Amino acid sequence: MPVTFIIIAITGIVSFMAFKNSRLMNDLILWPPAITRQHEYHRLVTYGVVHADFGHLFFNMLTLYFFGQVMEGFFTGRLGGFGFALFYIGGLVVSILPTYLKNRTNPNYRSLGASGAVSAVLFSFVLLAPWQKIIVLVIPMPAILYAVLYTGYSIFMDRRGQGNVNHSAHLWGAAYGVIFTLLMDQRVLPYFLNQLSHPSF
């Protein structure tokens, strides 16, 4: 079974369980003091298998379903059978670390959801297929255009500092996805630049 499907299955099952079990949710969510004081480092990963609600879960897993399979093939070919799992878990950790460090003594802060790791997958995909048409809220657009809009929106919202969405994790996840992919295969960057110079819709 593809690793992408295993990640989706685990995330879906645990998220649904946590919807009805507040204790499970509290044990898995990113709560910085639990890491700082009690050394519960597992929260740097487990926060990504719980979500705020069904819509949050559905959007993340749908995105992972469409782009994860492509990137799984890429990373499996370079890192072996668990390559994509390593990339995805790394995305969870790297995307949330700045948030954790900023709030490590804040007892009122909590974060959850796989958005950071999913952003890593999506931006990794953009490097391989920048002009691939994707559907964003029923609007078709090239992947590279979505990446630019997504980045701009996340930067703007992160600076505003309002709402309950961790835009910082989206940005760090995206950056991680790009850097990790380029490190895995040096041919990706010239390929990406060549693709950019030959638009195809």
Side-chain angles (χ1 to χ4, degrees):
M1 178 182 292
V3 172
T4 300
F5 293 170
I6 295 175
I7 293 173
I8 291 173
I10 292 173
T11 305
I13 291 170
V14 176
S15 289
F16 272 106
M17 291 173 61
F19 289 157
K20 301 179 180 180
N21 187 332
S22 59
R23 181 175 180 179
L24 177 62
M25 178 71 80
N26 290 333
D27 286 343
L28 300 180
I29 200 170
L30 180 85
W31 185 51
I35 300 173
T36 303
R37 301 171 188 170
Q38 301 166 21
H39 309 295
E40 296 180 1
Y41 297 111
H42 66 272
R43 292 177 183 267
L44 294 171
V45 174
T46 59
Y47 81 95
V49 296
V50 289
H51 288 76
D53 51 41
F54 177 76
H56 188 204
L57 170 67
F58 178 78
F59 181 78
N60 275 336
M61 293 303 99
L62 183 66
T63 305
L64 181 59
Y65 172 79
F66 282 120
F67 301 108
Q69 296 176 79
V70 175
M71 298 319 304
E72 181 175 345
F74 175 87
F75 288 113
T76 298
R78 289 155 182 81
L79 294 171
F82 293 101
F84 183 68
L86 174 65
F87 169 72
Y88 186 85
I89 293 172
L92 288 173
V93 175
V94 171
S95 66
I96 205 65
L97 270 179
T99 298
Y100 161 65
L101 293 174
K102 181 179 179 180
N103 295 278
R104 59 185 179 275
T105 59
N106 182 359
N108 298 315
Y109 186 86
R110 287 169 173 77
S111 186
L112 76 172
S115 300
V118 172
S119 291
V121 174
L122 175 60
F123 274 71
S124 181
F125 174 86
V126 170
L127 289 176
L128 302 186
W131 298 110
Q132 176 69 44
K133 184 175 71 175
I134 63 175
I135 307 298
V136 181
L137 300 176
V138 309
I139 301 173
M141 66 177 65
I144 185 64
L145 175 59
Y146 175 71
V148 172
L149 294 175
Y150 181 89
T151 301
Y153 174 77
S154 295
I155 291 174
F156 174 74
M157 294 302 292
D158 185 51
R159 289 179 175 176
R160 288 187 64 185
Q162 299 177 357
N164 297 319
V165 179
N166 188 352
H167 296 284
S168 170
H170 297 173
L171 291 168
W172 282 104
Y176 162 84
V178 169
I179 294 171
F180 194 101
T181 304
L182 294 178
L183 290 175
M184 286 299 98
D185 194 331
Q186 296 180 351
R187 297 170 296 177
V188 170
L189 181 57
Y191 175 81
F192 171 70
L193 294 175
N194 180 65
Q195 289 294 304
L196 281 185
S197 65
H198 296 85
S200 58
F201 300 96

